[in-house]
Amino acid sequence: MAMIDDLTALVTRVVRENDEALREAAQAIATSARGGGLLYAAGAGHSLAAVMETFFRAGGLAFVRPLWDQRILPLAGALDSTAAERQVGLGTEIAQRAGITDGDTVLIFSNSGVNPYPVEIARHVREVGARVVSMTSVSASAAAPRRSEDRLFEISDIVLDTAVPAGDVTWPPEAPVTAPASTIITASLWAAILRRIDSIAPDVPRWKSANVGGTDEFNAALVERFAPRIPEL
């Protein structure tokens, strides 16, 4: 067996087993787009890598607003970012500040799904009537120390189960200590969502690569259109 075969097999299985949830997530996001809403993407720590994959990305959706704060960014202080996602009230503060409405969809990335930050965002989203889509590992979440009253998968409208093992490590098989899987799996699930959105709503606005000739004006028009509601642009 090639050293990477088990990991690629896991990605294939997860995408296949989430088929219905992928369909529902794509439909929710397309519905928000058609209604003039936004897709908000949230995560903390290394889940911000998944948020980056959704935002201002070649071939990605132009109506995505990242929910984040410097306090949850590892590059601004690694230990402090871990403490911040466990801080009660921070998720609520950031979600309230964003101005989420009932026409929006919010995608939350959190492998463990137990810290206050992602859970509070999900609670606020439900309170305002928007839809919560989560990418989280149900098994890892069930095994993790409970740090909030709810787990993310318990209060999400649509759950994409990453099936990532507790600790997010996959190698060696007999006693895993390295090769985390969550980033690869969330990126694959997001790519699957984008493909499904294209099949049901091919006209939604998307970014074009800035490294292909003739795209700067196209992207500039999208920035002008969405920047009033997406200040991160």
Side-chain angles (χ1 to χ4, degrees):
M1 180 182 74
M3 185 169 285
I4 205 71
D5 282 356
D6 62 319
L7 192 53
T8 55
L10 176 60
V11 171
T12 300
R13 176 171 65 82
V14 167
V15 173
R16 182 178 64 248
E17 292 180 352
N18 279 282
D19 183 71
E20 180 61 21
L22 288 166
R23 184 192 65 78
E24 293 177 358
Q27 186 61 62
I29 295 167
T31 298
S32 288
R34 291 185 180 120
L38 298 178
L39 171 63
Y40 289 83
H46 284 89
S47 289
L48 284 168
V51 174
M52 285 292 295
E53 188 66 17
T54 70
F55 177 63
F56 198 59
R57 181 75 165 84
L61 306 176
F63 53 96
V64 176
R65 181 178 182 189
L67 281 178
W68 79 290
D69 185 280
Q70 184 165 318
R71 287 168 285 182
I72 60 168
L73 176 65
L75 294 177
L79 289 177
D80 288 346
S81 72
T82 295
E85 62 180 311
R86 297 180 182 180
Q87 178 185 328
V88 174
L90 180 59
T92 300
E93 172 195 329
I94 291 172
Q96 289 177 339
R97 194 168 64 209
I100 301 164
T101 72
D102 60 4
D104 299 320
T105 299
V106 181
L107 174 57
I108 304 174
F109 300 95
S110 176
N111 189 55
S112 68
V114 297
N115 287 314
Y117 182 78
V119 171
E120 288 178 358
I121 291 174
R123 284 184 190 146
H124 176 78
V125 172
R126 294 185 67 127
E127 287 172 4
V128 301
R131 301 203 74 188
V132 179
V133 180
S134 64
M135 284 197 197
T136 186
S137 173
V138 173
S139 62
S141 184
R146 186 184 286 272
R147 298 193 180 100
S148 190
E149 182 179 348
D150 302 303
R151 292 182 171 92
L152 180 60
F153 74 85
E154 296 170 334
I155 55 173
S156 298
D157 297 298
I158 302 167
V159 177
L160 293 151
D161 186 359
T162 64
V164 171
D168 198 9
V169 288
T170 61
W171 189 265
E174 62 276 10
V177 295
T178 191
S182 60
T183 302
I184 296 170
I185 290 177
T186 54
S188 299
L189 288 171
W190 176 243
I193 289 173
L194 289 176
R195 292 183 177 207
R196 286 175 177 262
I197 291 173
D198 183 66
S199 69
I200 61 176
D203 56 339
V204 298
R206 298 180 183 83
W207 301 108
K208 294 185 178 182
S209 172
N211 299 309
V212 174
T215 60
D216 286 352
E217 289 185 0
F218 179 90
N219 287 339
L222 288 177
V223 170
E224 184 177 1
R225 174 180 172 184
F226 288 106
R229 290 189 295 157
I230 307 176
E232 293 76 11
L233 291 172

